[in-house]
């Protein structure tokens, strides 16, 4: 017959084999001793098998493995699913801001919710196969009366940001001088202070920026990845650990601070290359998920879809720019920061003008200078050109979005209307109502605005603040298309006919 495996899932036990009936056990009857654990039929499985089993269940059901990670569905995630099903340790290679750490941290969702350990164990000892001196002695003395503790899956994850000063003691362990001072012998295993890796036994351990770890320390991880054990300070002990390892790193052609030694790379089962969002729509989804738009009492903040598209397109333009260091990368964090800065600029303007609705406009993109400056590396001999290069990227993004969202057949009507119009002023000092009046004066402009904003759900006219945002995009798009002139002053800008 088929073997029945049980894994603890909070308030019940879940069968790991499809079709096998499993008795539900309320949380209040969670086993508290080794004997009770045996009686309910719980079986211990390696962490890699646990990940494989739960990943397979999600794949079979069509449930996403990592719902909070967007843009990798057809590229990175199939490779990661293969690695999990194969039981591999994984290293993620990619530039900054490509969700490498988020992917790794999301792995805990593939662990069983609760896991039993021997009470008092520092390294999450398996009650059936204890490896530490403390747990072995306790199980030998108490047998089935050995008390159990339960560890949540979120506590089965360990992480270390690799730095040049990271030591073997940090990762593996060291002799605890306090325990020696208390009278224990150096040869006593109980004098050991376990490092981060042993303390994550029966869990997941991640090292971020692995090349920054000095090469002699990387050597200390070889046994963990291959033989699955650690040896501490010459002690004649062997701790067989059950750990699945993950690591992240920038591509070696960019990371000049160090390298991953070849024997260590060889021990990772899979190496997966991450990437930035492949199109603006995915970047917009990520920004919507991650950006924190400020909330102000008495003020409604609305970010039009076309302005979010401008923010996403700015990042894509930056990733194509020959004037920026592409080996360094242009992080998705820049898109998130730009969205927040743009919304904050609109809020500041609304607070000053007394308006109750804040909607970002093209003129608010000037605020992105601060949020972009620290997130890109400009390849320019003349440092004074940094602002010019960033401004060029923003203008290219605005023009690209304008051409995408405003149909070309509407452009001529607006341009012809300006032949009989004395111009339109825009800027922080211009209230939203003034933009709405301009749209009424120029029917062709009103048509373009209506196409941009669509219909309101209740059939009413859109708020003036939204109209103002759409008007600015149309006018700036026509200016960048060389169809209108634009004169900039201290109080704002004015668009006129090119004639």
């Amino acid at each position: 017959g088929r073997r029945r495996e049980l894994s603890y899932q909070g308030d019940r036990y879940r069968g790991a084999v499809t079709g096998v009936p499993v008795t539900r056990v309320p949380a209040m009857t969670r086993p508290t001793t080794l004997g009770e654990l045996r009686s309910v039929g719980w079986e211990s499985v390696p962490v890699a098998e646990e990940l494989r089993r739960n990943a397979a269940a999600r794949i079979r059901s069509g449930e996403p493995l990592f719902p909070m990670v967007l843009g990798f569905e057809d590229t990175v995630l199939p490779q990661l699913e293969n690695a999990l099903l194969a039981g591999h340790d994984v290293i993620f290679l990619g530039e900054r801001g490509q969700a490498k750490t988020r992917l790794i941290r999301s792995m805990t969702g593939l662990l069983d919710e609760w896991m039993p350990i021997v009470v008092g164990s520092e390294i999450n000892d398996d009650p059936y196969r204890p490896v530490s001196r403390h747990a072995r002695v306790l199980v030998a003395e108490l047998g089935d009366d050995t008390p159990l503790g339960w560890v949540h899956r979120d506590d089965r994850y360990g992480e270390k940001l690799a730095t040049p000063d990271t030591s073997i003691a940090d990762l593996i362990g060291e002799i605890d001088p306090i325990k020696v001072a208390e009278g224990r012998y150096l040869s006593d295993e109980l004098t050991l202070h376990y490092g981060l890796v042993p303390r994550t036994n029966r869990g997941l351990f991640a090292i971020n920026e692995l090349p920054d770890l000095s090469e002699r320390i990387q050597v200390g991880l070889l046994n963990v990845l291959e033989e699955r054990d650690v040896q501490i300070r010459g002690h004649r002990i062997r701790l067989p650990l059950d750990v699945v390892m993950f690591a992240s790193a920038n591509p070696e052609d960019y990371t000049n601070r160090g390298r991953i030694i070849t024997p260590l790379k060889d021990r990772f089962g899979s190496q997966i290359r991450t990437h930035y969002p492949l199109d603006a729509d995915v970047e917009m989804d990520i920004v919507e998920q991650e950006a924190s738009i400020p909330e102000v009492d008495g003020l409604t903040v609305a970010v039009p879809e076309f302005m979010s598209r401008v923010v996403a397109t700015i990042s894509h333009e930056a990733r194509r720019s020959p004037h920026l260091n592409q080996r360094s990368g242009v992080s998705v964090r820049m898109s998130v920061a730009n969205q927040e800065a743009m919304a904050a600029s609109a809020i500041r303007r609304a607070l000053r003008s007394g308006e109750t609705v804040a909607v970002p406009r093209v003129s608010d993109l000037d605020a992105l200078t601060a949020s972009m400056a620290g997130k890109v590396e400009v390849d320019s001999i003349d440092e004074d050109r940094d602002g010019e290069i960033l401004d060029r990227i923003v203008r290219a993004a605005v023009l690209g979005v304008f051409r995408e969202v405003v149909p070309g057949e509407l452009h001529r009507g607006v341009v012809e209307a300006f032949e009989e119009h004395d111009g339109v002023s825009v800027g922080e000092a211009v209230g939203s109502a003034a933009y709405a009046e301009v749209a009424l004066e120029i029917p062709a402009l009103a048509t373009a605005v209506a196409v941009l904003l669509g219909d309101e759900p209740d059939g009413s006219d859109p708020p003036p603040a939204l109209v103002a945002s759409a008007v600015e995009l149309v006018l700036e798009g026509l200016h960048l298309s060389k169809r209108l002139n634009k004169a900039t002053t201290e109080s704002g800008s004015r668009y006129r006919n090119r004639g």
Side-chain angles (χ1 to χ4, degrees):
R2 288 173 296 174
R3 178 168 56 91
R4 184 174 71 177
E5 295 180 347
L6 300 174
S7 58
Y8 198 74
Q9 294 291 308
D11 60 350
R12 65 188 188 275
Y13 286 89
R14 177 176 61 79
V17 179
T18 304
V20 177
V22 178
T23 303
R24 308 284 182 179
V25 182
M28 66 182 66
T29 61
R30 184 183 301 166
T32 59
T33 66
L34 179 55
E36 293 178 10
L37 189 67
R38 296 186 196 278
S39 67
V40 299
W42 185 88
E43 294 186 16
S44 174
V45 296
V47 177
E49 174 60 30
E50 192 178 331
L51 290 174
R52 178 188 298 120
R53 182 184 60 195
N54 293 332
R58 289 199 188 185
I59 294 171
R60 181 182 291 115
S61 67
E63 181 183 356
L65 267 63
F66 310 103
M68 297 298 289
V69 179
L70 306 177
F72 289 164
E73 292 79 6
D74 300 321
T75 52
V76 174
L77 294 188
Q79 298 178 60
L80 182 54
E81 289 172 358
N82 289 343
L84 293 173
L85 294 174
H88 286 172
D89 299 296
V90 180
I91 181 169
F92 293 98
L93 288 182
E95 286 82 11
R96 56 184 176 175
Q98 292 186 350
K100 299 186 295 295
T101 301
R102 169 162 292 194
L103 261 179
I104 295 172
R105 291 177 178 175
S106 299
M107 298 290 174
T108 57
L110 296 176
L111 297 172
D112 294 340
E113 187 172 2
W114 294 95
M115 177 185 72
I117 65 169
V118 175
V119 161
S121 169
E122 297 181 72
I123 59 173
N124 296 335
D125 276 287
D126 186 338
Y128 293 168
R129 288 181 290 274
V131 296
S132 73
R133 172 75 176 277
H134 161 81
R136 294 198 310 270
V137 170
L138 198 61
V139 171
E141 290 180 353
L142 300 180
D144 282 352
D145 292 328
T146 302
L148 302 182
W150 291 86
V151 178
H152 192 263
R153 60 186 167 205
D154 291 343
D155 297 321
R156 297 171 61 189
Y157 174 78
E159 181 180 295
K160 181 70 174 75
L161 175 62
T163 55
D165 63 344
T166 301
S167 67
I168 286 290
D170 295 330
L171 294 176
I172 306 301
E174 180 62 284
I175 300 295
D176 188 339
I178 296 178
K179 293 179 180 178
V180 175
E182 290 174 346
R184 291 192 175 96
Y185 291 103
L186 283 174
S187 59
D188 188 345
E189 187 179 330
L190 294 176
T191 63
L192 296 178
H193 174 77
Y194 296 110
L196 291 170
V197 176
R199 288 177 181 273
T200 319
N201 183 36
R202 300 175 69 206
L204 315 177
F205 188 77
I207 299 180
N208 283 323
E209 307 301 338
L210 182 57
D212 286 350
L213 200 64
S214 68
E215 296 182 10
R216 66 184 182 86
I217 306 303
Q218 291 183 37
V219 171
L221 297 175
L222 299 182
N223 266 31
V224 176
L225 284 164
E226 187 66 25
E227 286 77 19
R228 299 295 171 182
D229 65 20
V230 295
Q231 300 171 9
I232 302 176
R233 290 289 287 183
H235 271 263
R236 297 185 62 184
I237 62 167
R238 179 176 179 271
L239 291 178
L241 299 180
D242 182 13
V243 178
V244 174
M245 295 280 291
F246 295 92
S248 69
N250 291 119
E252 290 187 38
D253 59 349
Y254 167 63
T255 306
N256 298 319
R257 295 162 296 182
R259 69 182 186 93
I260 305 174
I261 62 174
T262 303
L264 186 60
K265 288 177 64 176
D266 181 59
R267 281 166 166 77
F268 280 96
S270 293
Q271 178 176 289
I272 299 176
R273 189 69 161 82
T274 58
H275 57 79
Y276 290 120
L278 301 178
D279 57 63
D281 288 318
V282 173
E283 189 118 12
M284 289 167 62
D285 291 339
I286 296 173
V287 168
E288 182 179 355
Q289 174 180 282
E290 300 298 322
S292 176
I293 304 302
E295 296 183 3
V296 180
D297 290 340
L299 191 64
T300 300
V301 183
V303 180
E305 188 269 348
F306 55 83
M307 290 305 295
S308 292
R309 186 171 294 277
V310 168
V311 167
T313 306
I314 287 172
S315 295
H316 283 258
E317 288 289 339
R319 291 174 193 138
R320 292 190 291 265
S321 173
H323 302 292
L324 299 184
N325 186 336
Q326 298 303 326
R327 292 184 303 159
S328 169
V330 179
S331 170
V332 177
R333 298 186 190 97
M334 187 177 83
S335 297
V336 175
N338 283 348
Q339 181 92 339
E340 294 169 344
M342 182 179 70
S345 178
I347 291 171
R348 180 173 58 86
R349 185 185 63 251
L351 293 173
R352 286 184 170 180
S353 64
E355 296 186 357
T356 58
V357 179
V359 179
R361 309 171 184 169
V362 168
S363 54
D364 290 311
L365 298 178
D366 292 340
L368 304 192
T369 301
S371 55
M372 292 175 65
K375 293 181 171 57
V376 294
E377 295 183 19
V378 178
D379 284 339
S380 173
I381 299 176
D382 187 358
E383 294 184 1
D384 295 336
R385 291 193 61 215
D386 289 11
E388 176 189 338
I389 291 170
L390 295 180
D391 182 61
R392 188 184 305 166
I393 289 171
V394 171
R395 285 189 278 115
V398 172
L399 177 59
V401 172
F402 166 72
R403 289 174 171 170
E404 181 180 352
V405 299
V406 180
E409 59 268 20
L410 301 180
H411 299 181
R412 179 186 294 273
V414 179
V415 173
E416 291 177 349
F418 267 78
E419 294 177 0
E420 307 297 331
H421 201 279
D422 61 352
V424 176
S425 295
V426 302
E428 186 170 318
V430 181
S432 299
Y435 288 89
E437 291 176 4
V438 169
L440 291 176
E441 294 174 4
I442 307 176
L445 180 58
T447 301
V449 168
V451 169
L452 269 177
L453 298 181
D455 297 326
E456 290 292 303
D458 57 1
S460 62
D461 294 331
L466 279 173
V467 173
S469 181
V471 166
E472 279 204 15
L473 179 69
V474 173
L475 296 181
E476 181 67 11
L478 290 173
H479 163 64
L480 295 173
S481 302
K482 302 186 184 305
R483 308 289 295 277
L484 293 178
N485 278 341
K486 176 183 178 182
T488 303
T489 64
E490 293 183 359
S491 60
S493 302
R494 188 170 181 83
Y495 295 93
R496 297 178 183 271
N497 177 37
R498 286 180 65 86

